[in-house]
mmCIF file of all heavy atoms in Angstrom:
data_model
loop_
_atom_site.group_PDB
_atom_site.id
_atom_site.type_symbol
_atom_site.label_atom_id
_atom_site.label_comp_id
_atom_site.label_asym_id
_atom_site.label_seq_id
_atom_site.Cartn_x
_atom_site.Cartn_y
_atom_site.Cartn_z
ATOM 1 N N CYS A 1050 89.921 19.728 74.180
ATOM 2 C CA CYS A 1050 91.346 19.667 74.499
ATOM 3 C C CYS A 1050 91.953 18.438 73.838
ATOM 4 O O CYS A 1050 91.324 17.373 73.789
ATOM 5 C CB CYS A 1050 91.483 19.591 76.017
ATOM 6 S SG CYS A 1050 93.139 19.342 76.621
ATOM 7 N N VAL A 1051 93.161 18.567 73.342
ATOM 8 C CA VAL A 1051 93.899 17.445 72.777
ATOM 9 C C VAL A 1051 95.071 17.131 73.706
ATOM 10 O O VAL A 1051 95.833 18.023 74.083
ATOM 11 C CB VAL A 1051 94.437 17.766 71.368
ATOM 12 C CG1 VAL A 1051 95.312 16.637 70.846
ATOM 13 C CG2 VAL A 1051 93.291 18.048 70.411
ATOM 14 N N LEU A 1052 95.178 15.869 74.065
ATOM 15 C CA LEU A 1052 96.326 15.387 74.833
ATOM 16 C C LEU A 1052 97.222 14.631 73.862
ATOM 17 O O LEU A 1052 96.786 13.658 73.246
ATOM 18 C CB LEU A 1052 95.877 14.460 75.964
ATOM 19 C CG LEU A 1052 94.874 15.044 76.954
ATOM 20 C CD1 LEU A 1052 94.455 13.994 77.965
ATOM 21 C CD2 LEU A 1052 95.459 16.269 77.646
ATOM 22 N N THR A 1053 98.441 15.085 73.700
ATOM 23 C CA THR A 1053 99.402 14.411 72.834
ATOM 24 C C THR A 1053 100.421 13.716 73.719
ATOM 25 O O THR A 1053 101.104 14.360 74.518
ATOM 26 C CB THR A 1053 100.110 15.407 71.896
ATOM 27 O OG1 THR A 1053 99.115 16.095 71.131
ATOM 28 C CG2 THR A 1053 101.075 14.697 70.965
ATOM 29 N N VAL A 1054 100.476 12.402 73.586
ATOM 30 C CA VAL A 1054 101.399 11.605 74.386
ATOM 31 C C VAL A 1054 102.637 11.330 73.533
ATOM 32 O O VAL A 1054 102.544 10.709 72.476
ATOM 33 C CB VAL A 1054 100.761 10.278 74.832
ATOM 34 C CG1 VAL A 1054 101.747 9.468 75.672
ATOM 35 C CG2 VAL A 1054 99.471 10.536 75.597
ATOM 36 N N GLN A 1055 103.778 11.814 73.990
ATOM 37 C CA GLN A 1055 105.053 11.507 73.342
ATOM 38 C C GLN A 1055 105.534 10.189 73.945
ATOM 39 O O GLN A 1055 105.982 10.141 75.080
ATOM 40 C CB GLN A 1055 106.081 12.617 73.599
ATOM 41 C CG GLN A 1055 107.411 12.379 72.934
ATOM 42 C CD GLN A 1055 107.283 12.415 71.430
ATOM 43 O OE1 GLN A 1055 106.885 13.420 70.859
ATOM 44 N NE2 GLN A 1055 107.633 11.320 70.778
ATOM 45 N N VAL A 1056 105.376 9.113 73.181
ATOM 46 C CA VAL A 1056 105.688 7.784 73.697
ATOM 47 C C VAL A 1056 107.200 7.667 73.917
ATOM 48 O O VAL A 1056 107.993 7.946 73.025
ATOM 49 C CB VAL A 1056 105.189 6.689 72.732
ATOM 50 C CG1 VAL A 1056 105.574 5.307 73.239
ATOM 51 C CG2 VAL A 1056 103.676 6.792 72.558
ATOM 52 N N GLU A 1057 107.556 7.265 75.134
ATOM 53 C CA GLU A 1057 108.962 7.053 75.475
ATOM 54 C C GLU A 1057 109.287 5.571 75.608
ATOM 55 O O GLU A 1057 110.414 5.160 75.379
ATOM 56 C CB GLU A 1057 109.299 7.778 76.770
ATOM 57 C CG GLU A 1057 109.205 9.286 76.635
ATOM 58 C CD GLU A 1057 109.459 10.003 77.940
ATOM 59 O OE1 GLU A 1057 109.615 9.336 78.990
ATOM 60 O OE2 GLU A 1057 109.504 11.242 77.919
ATOM 61 N N ARG A 1058 108.266 4.790 75.968
ATOM 62 C CA ARG A 1058 108.477 3.357 76.194
ATOM 63 C C ARG A 1058 107.187 2.606 75.891
ATOM 64 O O ARG A 1058 106.105 3.043 76.270
ATOM 65 C CB ARG A 1058 108.890 3.130 77.642
ATOM 66 C CG ARG A 1058 109.114 1.687 78.033
ATOM 67 C CD ARG A 1058 109.493 1.617 79.505
ATOM 68 N NE ARG A 1058 109.346 0.293 80.032
ATOM 69 C CZ ARG A 1058 110.295 -0.621 80.085
ATOM 70 N NH1 ARG A 1058 111.493 -0.333 79.631
ATOM 71 N NH2 ARG A 1058 110.070 -1.814 80.602
ATOM 72 N N LEU A 1059 107.334 1.497 75.185
ATOM 73 C CA LEU A 1059 106.209 0.610 74.894
ATOM 74 C C LEU A 1059 106.653 -0.809 75.211
ATOM 75 O O LEU A 1059 107.685 -1.258 74.715
ATOM 76 C CB LEU A 1059 105.798 0.711 73.424
ATOM 77 C CG LEU A 1059 104.594 -0.126 72.984
ATOM 78 C CD1 LEU A 1059 103.870 0.549 71.842
ATOM 79 C CD2 LEU A 1059 104.981 -1.532 72.599
ATOM 80 N N GLU A 1060 105.903 -1.463 76.068
ATOM 81 C CA GLU A 1060 106.194 -2.851 76.413
ATOM 82 C C GLU A 1060 105.059 -3.706 75.874
ATOM 83 O O GLU A 1060 103.892 -3.418 76.122
ATOM 84 C CB GLU A 1060 106.309 -2.993 77.925
ATOM 85 C CG GLU A 1060 106.930 -4.283 78.350
ATOM 86 C CD GLU A 1060 107.238 -4.307 79.835
ATOM 87 O OE1 GLU A 1060 107.932 -3.377 80.320
ATOM 88 O OE2 GLU A 1060 106.765 -5.244 80.494
ATOM 89 N N ALA A 1061 105.402 -4.745 75.112
ATOM 90 C CA ALA A 1061 104.415 -5.623 74.489
ATOM 91 C C ALA A 1061 104.549 -7.028 75.050
ATOM 92 O O ALA A 1061 105.664 -7.550 75.160
ATOM 93 C CB ALA A 1061 104.610 -5.647 72.977
ATOM 94 N N LEU A 1062 103.409 -7.616 75.396
ATOM 95 C CA LEU A 1062 103.368 -8.995 75.874
ATOM 96 C C LEU A 1062 102.380 -9.758 75.014
ATOM 97 O O LEU A 1062 101.193 -9.429 74.976
ATOM 98 C CB LEU A 1062 102.938 -9.053 77.343
ATOM 99 C CG LEU A 1062 102.763 -10.448 77.934
ATOM 100 C CD1 LEU A 1062 104.080 -11.214 77.948
ATOM 101 C CD2 LEU A 1062 102.180 -10.358 79.341
ATOM 102 N N LYS A 1063 102.872 -10.746 74.304
ATOM 103 C CA LYS A 1063 102.052 -11.594 73.434
ATOM 104 C C LYS A 1063 101.850 -12.927 74.160
ATOM 105 O O LYS A 1063 102.810 -13.611 74.506
ATOM 106 C CB LYS A 1063 102.779 -11.800 72.096
ATOM 107 C CG LYS A 1063 102.100 -12.747 71.145
ATOM 108 C CD LYS A 1063 100.972 -12.079 70.426
ATOM 109 C CE LYS A 1063 100.460 -12.967 69.298
ATOM 110 N NZ LYS A 1063 99.269 -12.460 68.704
ATOM 111 N N LEU A 1064 100.577 -13.259 74.416
ATOM 112 C CA LEU A 1064 100.256 -14.509 75.100
ATOM 113 C C LEU A 1064 100.121 -15.625 74.074
ATOM 114 O O LEU A 1064 99.252 -15.565 73.198
ATOM 115 C CB LEU A 1064 98.972 -14.356 75.911
ATOM 116 C CG LEU A 1064 98.986 -13.247 76.959
ATOM 117 C CD1 LEU A 1064 97.664 -13.202 77.704
ATOM 118 C CD2 LEU A 1064 100.142 -13.416 77.933
ATOM 119 N N LEU A 1065 100.986 -16.622 74.166
ATOM 120 C CA LEU A 1065 101.014 -17.733 73.231
ATOM 121 C C LEU A 1065 100.886 -19.051 73.976
ATOM 122 O O LEU A 1065 101.374 -19.172 75.104
ATOM 123 C CB LEU A 1065 102.326 -17.720 72.421
ATOM 124 C CG LEU A 1065 102.567 -16.474 71.577
ATOM 125 C CD1 LEU A 1065 104.006 -16.440 71.088
ATOM 126 C CD2 LEU A 1065 101.596 -16.442 70.413
ATOM 127 N N PRO A 1066 100.259 -20.062 73.374
ATOM 128 C CA PRO A 1066 100.070 -21.345 74.062
ATOM 129 C C PRO A 1066 101.381 -22.042 74.447
ATOM 130 O O PRO A 1066 101.458 -22.701 75.473
ATOM 131 C CB PRO A 1066 99.291 -22.201 73.069
ATOM 132 C CG PRO A 1066 98.915 -21.329 71.936
ATOM 133 C CD PRO A 1066 99.656 -20.046 72.061
ATOM 134 N N ASP A 1067 102.432 -21.868 73.643
ATOM 135 C CA ASP A 1067 103.697 -22.563 73.904
ATOM 136 C C ASP A 1067 104.719 -21.713 74.642
ATOM 137 O O ASP A 1067 105.884 -22.108 74.755
ATOM 138 C CB ASP A 1067 104.300 -23.054 72.582
ATOM 139 C CG ASP A 1067 103.425 -24.098 71.904
ATOM 140 O OD1 ASP A 1067 102.709 -24.842 72.626
ATOM 141 O OD2 ASP A 1067 103.446 -24.158 70.670
ATOM 142 N N GLY A 1068 104.333 -20.559 75.102
ATOM 143 C CA GLY A 1068 105.248 -19.662 75.803
ATOM 144 C C GLY A 1068 105.063 -18.242 75.331
ATOM 145 O O GLY A 1068 105.011 -17.987 74.134
ATOM 146 N N HIS A 1069 104.937 -17.352 76.279
ATOM 147 C CA HIS A 1069 104.684 -15.945 75.945
ATOM 148 C C HIS A 1069 105.943 -15.276 75.389
ATOM 149 O O HIS A 1069 107.067 -15.744 75.615
ATOM 150 C CB HIS A 1069 104.204 -15.195 77.182
ATOM 151 C CG HIS A 1069 103.025 -15.823 77.848
ATOM 152 N ND1 HIS A 1069 102.029 -16.493 77.174
ATOM 153 C CD2 HIS A 1069 102.673 -15.896 79.156
ATOM 154 C CE1 HIS A 1069 101.112 -16.928 78.020
ATOM 155 N NE2 HIS A 1069 101.492 -16.586 79.235
ATOM 156 N N GLN A 1070 105.743 -14.153 74.694
ATOM 157 C CA GLN A 1070 106.853 -13.340 74.202
ATOM 158 C C GLN A 1070 106.654 -11.914 74.693
ATOM 159 O O GLN A 1070 105.537 -11.398 74.687
ATOM 160 C CB GLN A 1070 106.895 -13.348 72.668
ATOM 161 C CG GLN A 1070 107.216 -14.697 72.089
ATOM 162 C CD GLN A 1070 107.170 -14.693 70.573
ATOM 163 O OE1 GLN A 1070 106.685 -13.757 69.939
ATOM 164 N NE2 GLN A 1070 107.671 -15.764 69.972
ATOM 165 N N ARG A 1071 107.755 -11.301 75.100
ATOM 166 C CA ARG A 1071 107.691 -9.952 75.653
ATOM 167 C C ARG A 1071 108.835 -9.127 75.068
ATOM 168 O O ARG A 1071 109.973 -9.600 74.986
ATOM 169 C CB ARG A 1071 107.822 -10.028 77.169
ATOM 170 C CG ARG A 1071 107.642 -8.736 77.884
ATOM 171 C CD ARG A 1071 107.617 -9.010 79.381
ATOM 172 N NE ARG A 1071 107.768 -7.820 80.161
ATOM 173 C CZ ARG A 1071 108.179 -7.805 81.417
ATOM 174 N NH1 ARG A 1071 108.474 -8.926 82.038
ATOM 175 N NH2 ARG A 1071 108.289 -6.667 82.058
ATOM 176 N N ALA A 1072 108.520 -7.923 74.665
ATOM 177 C CA ALA A 1072 109.524 -7.024 74.087
ATOM 178 C C ALA A 1072 109.312 -5.617 74.631
ATOM 179 O O ALA A 1072 108.210 -5.254 75.053
ATOM 180 C CB ALA A 1072 109.416 -7.011 72.565
ATOM 181 N N VAL A 1073 110.378 -4.836 74.590
ATOM 182 C CA VAL A 1073 110.289 -3.442 74.995
ATOM 183 C C VAL A 1073 110.867 -2.583 73.870
ATOM 184 O O VAL A 1073 111.859 -2.946 73.244
ATOM 185 C CB VAL A 1073 111.012 -3.173 76.339
ATOM 186 C CG1 VAL A 1073 112.499 -3.433 76.241
ATOM 187 C CG2 VAL A 1073 110.729 -1.769 76.840
ATOM 188 N N PHE A 1074 110.190 -1.481 73.609
ATOM 189 C CA PHE A 1074 110.622 -0.502 72.617
ATOM 190 C C PHE A 1074 110.770 0.821 73.346
ATOM 191 O O PHE A 1074 109.913 1.179 74.154
ATOM 192 C CB PHE A 1074 109.583 -0.359 71.501
ATOM 193 C CG PHE A 1074 109.273 -1.659 70.813
ATOM 194 C CD1 PHE A 1074 108.313 -2.520 71.338
ATOM 195 C CD2 PHE A 1074 109.934 -2.017 69.652
ATOM 196 C CE1 PHE A 1074 108.020 -3.722 70.718
ATOM 197 C CE2 PHE A 1074 109.650 -3.223 69.031
ATOM 198 C CZ PHE A 1074 108.688 -4.075 69.562
ATOM 199 N N SER A 1075 111.838 1.544 73.066
ATOM 200 C CA SER A 1075 112.006 2.860 73.686
ATOM 201 C C SER A 1075 112.438 3.854 72.625
ATOM 202 O O SER A 1075 113.050 3.496 71.622
ATOM 203 C CB SER A 1075 113.014 2.802 74.835
ATOM 204 O OG SER A 1075 114.272 2.389 74.356
ATOM 205 N N TRP A 1076 112.077 5.108 72.859
ATOM 206 C CA TRP A 1076 112.377 6.200 71.940
ATOM 207 C C TRP A 1076 113.213 7.234 72.676
ATOM 208 O O TRP A 1076 112.666 8.121 73.349
ATOM 209 C CB TRP A 1076 111.090 6.838 71.434
ATOM 210 C CG TRP A 1076 110.367 6.017 70.425
ATOM 211 C CD1 TRP A 1076 110.456 6.146 69.064
ATOM 212 C CD2 TRP A 1076 109.445 4.952 70.663
ATOM 213 N NE1 TRP A 1076 109.649 5.212 68.451
ATOM 214 C CE2 TRP A 1076 109.013 4.454 69.413
ATOM 215 C CE3 TRP A 1076 108.945 4.330 71.809
ATOM 216 C CZ2 TRP A 1076 108.119 3.412 69.276
ATOM 217 C CZ3 TRP A 1076 108.055 3.282 71.688
ATOM 218 C CH2 TRP A 1076 107.650 2.831 70.427
ATOM 219 N N PRO A 1077 114.552 7.152 72.572
ATOM 220 C CA PRO A 1077 115.370 8.196 73.187
ATOM 221 C C PRO A 1077 115.138 9.561 72.538
ATOM 222 O O PRO A 1077 115.345 10.591 73.154
ATOM 223 C CB PRO A 1077 116.805 7.716 72.979
ATOM 224 C CG PRO A 1077 116.744 6.582 72.021
ATOM 225 C CD PRO A 1077 115.325 6.114 71.938
ATOM 226 N N SER A 1078 114.676 9.545 71.278
ATOM 227 C CA SER A 1078 114.197 10.746 70.591
ATOM 228 C C SER A 1078 113.056 10.277 69.694
ATOM 229 O O SER A 1078 112.964 9.087 69.384
ATOM 230 C CB SER A 1078 115.313 11.406 69.771
ATOM 231 O OG SER A 1078 115.651 10.607 68.663
ATOM 232 N N PRO A 1079 112.159 11.169 69.280
ATOM 233 C CA PRO A 1079 110.981 10.737 68.524
ATOM 234 C C PRO A 1079 111.271 9.932 67.263
ATOM 235 O O PRO A 1079 110.478 9.104 66.858
ATOM 236 C CB PRO A 1079 110.270 12.050 68.189
ATOM 237 C CG PRO A 1079 110.692 12.985 69.277
ATOM 238 C CD PRO A 1079 112.110 12.591 69.602
ATOM 239 N N SER A 1080 112.431 10.142 66.635
ATOM 240 C CA SER A 1080 112.715 9.440 65.381
ATOM 241 C C SER A 1080 113.628 8.226 65.552
ATOM 242 O O SER A 1080 113.964 7.568 64.576
ATOM 243 C CB SER A 1080 113.335 10.413 64.374
ATOM 244 O OG SER A 1080 114.551 10.925 64.896
ATOM 245 N N VAL A 1081 114.027 7.926 66.788
ATOM 246 C CA VAL A 1081 114.928 6.804 67.039
ATOM 247 C C VAL A 1081 114.237 5.817 67.974
ATOM 248 O O VAL A 1081 113.864 6.153 69.090
ATOM 249 C CB VAL A 1081 116.249 7.280 67.678
ATOM 250 C CG1 VAL A 1081 117.149 6.095 68.017
ATOM 251 C CG2 VAL A 1081 116.968 8.256 66.762
ATOM 252 N N CYS A 1082 114.077 4.577 67.471
ATOM 253 C CA CYS A 1082 113.446 3.520 68.274
ATOM 254 C C CYS A 1082 114.463 2.421 68.548
ATOM 255 O O CYS A 1082 115.157 1.958 67.649
ATOM 256 C CB CYS A 1082 112.241 2.940 67.526
ATOM 257 S SG CYS A 1082 111.411 1.625 68.445
ATOM 258 N N GLU A 1083 114.555 2.023 69.811
ATOM 259 C CA GLU A 1083 115.414 0.917 70.217
ATOM 260 C C GLU A 1083 114.505 -0.193 70.714
ATOM 261 O O GLU A 1083 113.475 0.070 71.339
ATOM 262 C CB GLU A 1083 116.375 1.353 71.318
ATOM 263 C CG GLU A 1083 117.301 2.472 70.871
ATOM 264 C CD GLU A 1083 118.133 3.052 72.010
ATOM 265 O OE1 GLU A 1083 117.833 2.742 73.193
ATOM 266 O OE2 GLU A 1083 119.056 3.823 71.715
ATOM 267 N N ALA A 1084 114.871 -1.449 70.486
ATOM 268 C CA ALA A 1084 114.032 -2.580 70.871
ATOM 269 C C ALA A 1084 114.874 -3.713 71.456
ATOM 270 O O ALA A 1084 116.032 -3.888 71.060
ATOM 271 C CB ALA A 1084 113.250 -3.094 69.673
ATOM 272 N N SER A 1085 114.281 -4.456 72.376
ATOM 273 C CA SER A 1085 114.942 -5.643 72.913
ATOM 274 C C SER A 1085 113.885 -6.589 73.456
ATOM 275 O O SER A 1085 112.770 -6.191 73.790
ATOM 276 C CB SER A 1085 115.965 -5.271 73.994
ATOM 277 O OG SER A 1085 115.353 -4.555 75.036
#
Side-chain angles (χ1 to χ4, degrees):
C1050 174
V1051 175
L1052 303 176
T1053 303
V1054 180
Q1055 181 66 60
V1056 177
E1057 294 177 355
R1058 179 181 163 93
L1059 182 150
E1060 194 171 306
L1062 176 63
K1063 175 80 170 172
L1064 302 180
L1065 300 167
D1067 296 331
H1069 306 327
Q1070 294 177 348
R1071 186 173 166 201
V1073 63
F1074 303 85
S1075 61
W1076 285 264
S1078 70
S1080 61
V1081 176
C1082 180
E1083 299 172 348
S1085 57

